[in-house]
Short mmCIF file of all heavy atoms in Angstrom, two decimals:
data_model
loop_
_atom_site.label_atom_id
_atom_site.label_comp_id
_atom_site.label_asym_id
_atom_site.label_seq_id
_atom_site.Cartn_x
_atom_site.Cartn_y
_atom_site.Cartn_z
N MET A 292 1.90 27.02 14.68
CA MET A 292 1.74 27.83 15.88
C MET A 292 1.64 29.29 15.46
O MET A 292 2.20 29.68 14.43
CB MET A 292 2.93 27.65 16.83
CG MET A 292 3.12 26.24 17.32
SD MET A 292 4.42 26.08 18.55
CE MET A 292 5.89 26.24 17.57
N ASP A 293 0.93 30.10 16.25
CA ASP A 293 0.75 31.50 15.85
C ASP A 293 1.72 32.46 16.54
O ASP A 293 1.58 33.67 16.40
CB ASP A 293 -0.70 31.94 16.07
CG ASP A 293 -1.15 31.89 17.51
OD1 ASP A 293 -0.32 31.61 18.40
OD2 ASP A 293 -2.35 32.13 17.76
N ASN A 294 2.72 31.95 17.22
CA ASN A 294 3.71 32.80 17.87
C ASN A 294 5.04 32.64 17.14
O ASN A 294 5.63 31.56 17.16
CB ASN A 294 3.85 32.42 19.35
CG ASN A 294 4.84 33.29 20.07
OD1 ASN A 294 6.05 33.04 20.02
ND2 ASN A 294 4.35 34.31 20.75
N LYS A 295 5.50 33.70 16.49
CA LYS A 295 6.72 33.62 15.69
C LYS A 295 7.94 33.29 16.53
O LYS A 295 8.84 32.59 16.08
CB LYS A 295 6.93 34.91 14.91
CG LYS A 295 5.95 35.06 13.78
CD LYS A 295 6.24 36.29 12.94
CE LYS A 295 5.22 36.39 11.82
NZ LYS A 295 5.48 37.50 10.92
N GLY A 296 7.99 33.77 17.77
CA GLY A 296 9.12 33.46 18.64
C GLY A 296 9.21 31.97 18.93
O GLY A 296 10.30 31.39 18.90
N ALA A 297 8.07 31.33 19.19
CA ALA A 297 8.05 29.89 19.45
C ALA A 297 8.43 29.11 18.20
O ALA A 297 9.15 28.11 18.27
CB ALA A 297 6.68 29.47 19.95
N VAL A 298 7.95 29.57 17.04
CA VAL A 298 8.30 28.91 15.77
C VAL A 298 9.80 29.04 15.53
O VAL A 298 10.47 28.06 15.18
CB VAL A 298 7.48 29.51 14.60
CG1 VAL A 298 7.99 28.99 13.26
CG2 VAL A 298 6.00 29.22 14.77
N ASP A 299 10.34 30.23 15.73
CA ASP A 299 11.78 30.45 15.52
C ASP A 299 12.61 29.62 16.49
O ASP A 299 13.64 29.05 16.12
CB ASP A 299 12.13 31.93 15.67
CG ASP A 299 11.61 32.77 14.51
OD1 ASP A 299 11.19 32.19 13.49
OD2 ASP A 299 11.62 34.01 14.64
N LEU A 300 12.17 29.53 17.73
CA LEU A 300 12.89 28.74 18.73
C LEU A 300 12.92 27.26 18.32
O LEU A 300 13.96 26.61 18.38
CB LEU A 300 12.22 28.88 20.10
CG LEU A 300 12.91 28.22 21.28
CD1 LEU A 300 14.26 28.88 21.54
CD2 LEU A 300 12.03 28.34 22.52
N ALA A 301 11.79 26.75 17.85
CA ALA A 301 11.71 25.35 17.42
C ALA A 301 12.54 25.09 16.18
O ALA A 301 13.11 24.02 16.02
CB ALA A 301 10.26 24.95 17.17
N ASN A 302 12.61 26.09 15.31
CA ASN A 302 13.35 25.94 14.06
C ASN A 302 14.83 26.28 14.21
O ASN A 302 15.54 26.32 13.22
CB ASN A 302 12.71 26.79 12.96
CG ASN A 302 11.45 26.14 12.43
OD1 ASN A 302 11.41 24.95 12.18
ND2 ASN A 302 10.40 26.93 12.29
N ASN A 303 15.27 26.57 15.44
CA ASN A 303 16.67 26.83 15.74
C ASN A 303 17.17 28.13 15.13
O ASN A 303 18.35 28.28 14.85
CB ASN A 303 17.55 25.67 15.28
CG ASN A 303 18.89 25.65 15.97
OD1 ASN A 303 19.07 26.26 17.01
ND2 ASN A 303 19.84 24.94 15.38
N TYR A 304 16.25 29.06 14.88
CA TYR A 304 16.67 30.37 14.41
C TYR A 304 17.14 31.16 15.63
O TYR A 304 16.70 30.94 16.75
CB TYR A 304 15.53 31.11 13.72
CG TYR A 304 14.96 30.37 12.53
CD1 TYR A 304 13.60 30.25 12.35
CD2 TYR A 304 15.80 29.77 11.59
CE1 TYR A 304 13.06 29.58 11.26
CE2 TYR A 304 15.27 29.09 10.50
CZ TYR A 304 13.91 29.00 10.35
OH TYR A 304 13.39 28.33 9.28
N SER A 305 18.00 32.09 15.41
CA SER A 305 18.49 32.91 16.51
C SER A 305 17.36 33.80 17.01
O SER A 305 16.79 34.58 16.25
CB SER A 305 19.65 33.78 16.04
OG SER A 305 20.07 34.62 17.07
N VAL A 306 17.02 33.65 18.28
CA VAL A 306 15.95 34.47 18.85
C VAL A 306 16.47 35.37 19.95
O VAL A 306 15.73 36.04 20.62
CB VAL A 306 14.78 33.60 19.37
CG1 VAL A 306 14.03 32.99 18.23
CG2 VAL A 306 15.27 32.53 20.31
N GLY A 307 17.78 35.39 20.15
CA GLY A 307 18.39 36.33 21.08
C GLY A 307 18.42 35.82 22.50
O GLY A 307 17.96 34.73 22.83
N GLY A 308 18.99 36.66 23.37
CA GLY A 308 19.17 36.31 24.77
C GLY A 308 17.89 36.32 25.58
O GLY A 308 17.88 35.93 26.74
N ARG A 309 16.79 36.73 24.97
CA ARG A 309 15.55 36.81 25.71
C ARG A 309 14.89 35.45 25.93
O ARG A 309 13.86 35.36 26.57
CB ARG A 309 14.58 37.75 24.98
CG ARG A 309 15.14 39.17 24.90
CD ARG A 309 14.27 40.06 24.09
NE ARG A 309 13.03 40.32 24.80
CZ ARG A 309 12.05 41.06 24.34
NH1 ARG A 309 12.16 41.62 23.16
NH2 ARG A 309 10.96 41.24 25.04
#
Side-chain angles (χ1 to χ4, degrees):
M292 299 186 286
D293 62 6
N294 181 277
K295 288 185 180 184
V298 171
D299 289 347
L300 186 65
N302 284 315
N303 200 19
Y304 302 134
S305 176
V306 289
R309 298 175 70 181

